[in-house]
Structure formats: C-alpha cells, structure tokens
Amino acid sequence: MIRRVTSPALFPPPTYSHASVVEAGTRIAFLAGSVPLDGEGNIVGEGDPVRQAEQVIANLGEQLRAVGSDLAHVLSTDVYVVSSDTAVLSAVWEVVEASGLSVGPHSSTLLGVACLGYTGQLVEITATAAVPGENSESDESDESGGSEARA
C-alpha cells in the first residue's frame, strides 16, 4: 500500500506530496541518479536543461522498467539542476510534471546545484519507487483528501 500524505498544517504543495508511506511487504527500488546520456554515453541536449530533463525522464523510465516498476509508482525524487536561476528550475520542473511523475503525487525536492558528474550535464534525478507485484499492494490514498486511486 502506498499512501501519499499532505499535511494540513503545512503550506499545500502545488504538485507533490509532503510524504509517501509504504507498508511492510512492499518491494522498494532505490534507483541511482538518472542522467542525460544516450545509449553510447553521450550527453543529450548539451546546454539545454529542458532537453536534458526529457532524456533523464526517459532514462528513469528505463531504469524503472528494468526493476518491474514505472513512473506512477515513484515514491520520491530529488531533482538536481545546474542553475541558480529559478526560471530554469521551473522549466525543468515542468518536464517532471508533464512526465507522469507528479501523478500521485510523489514526494520531491528540486535543487539548484553548482555541477554534476558528467561534463556538460545539467540535470539528474534520483528516485525511490514501489515495485508492484505478488508481495506488494498498489492501492494509493491521499491523506489530505482521503481519496483512493488504483496505481
């Protein structure tokens, strides 16, 4: 069971939850940072954080498929962007929102950083996801509104 929680005592987040709670018995995948590299190891979208974010999301989707999960089962992310400009951070977040990651919504932190691991890399996303299957439930509820949705 995945429960998305938004605390009524805190400012309501626009497209993410304050916390995701997973009950015992659910399989969890902790994913390495997804980076904007193609299959040959080349940076995609050099100089373009939006294009890099799109590639990062595509690569994250591949990581999730490899463990039997998908974007809808992501519990939390950290989104790293090489920029101190809030407009650039917002542009990358728009890609995250459009990807299906904000469905749920998952818990997330958006960070502006000085640099990332690959030369020319502007975006990276780390994620934790539930892996649906025999030993895990995929029912979801949002404590702020009490609604339940099937993942």
Side-chain angles (χ1 to χ4, degrees):
M1 157 94 72
I2 302 169
R3 197 167 31 109
R4 318 277 185 178
V5 180
T6 301
S7 172
L10 298 174
F11 182 79
T15 56
Y16 59 91
S17 63
H18 289 127
S20 297
V21 178
V22 180
E23 299 204 11
T26 301
R27 294 180 304 149
I28 304 292
F30 299 90
L31 299 150
S34 180
V35 298
L37 300 180
D38 64 16
E40 288 76 48
N42 301 307
I43 290 284
V44 173
E46 193 160 338
D48 183 351
V50 169
R51 177 64 190 104
Q52 286 196 15
E54 293 166 347
Q55 184 66 42
V56 165
I57 295 291
N59 291 349
L60 180 59
E62 290 300 321
Q63 288 174 274
L64 289 161
R65 277 187 281 289
V67 299
S69 193
D70 56 32
L71 293 174
H73 286 88
V74 169
L75 303 168
S76 102
T77 59
D78 290 315
V79 181
Y80 302 92
V81 183
V82 176
S83 182
S84 61
D85 183 346
T86 56
V88 173
L89 296 170
S90 293
V92 168
W93 186 252
E94 288 175 13
V95 174
V96 171
E97 281 186 299
S99 73
L101 270 173
S102 64
V103 173
H106 74 294
S107 304
S108 188
T109 300
L110 176 63
L111 302 153
V113 298
C115 70
L116 292 166
Y118 292 98
T119 301
Q121 180 184 358
L122 302 174
V123 179
E124 184 164 336
I125 298 176
T126 61
T128 302
V131 181
E134 295 174 17
N135 297 327
S136 63
E137 293 285 330
S138 60
D139 288 337
E140 297 186 27
S141 64
D142 177 352
E143 286 221 340
S144 65
S147 64
E148 292 191 18
R150 197 83 170 148

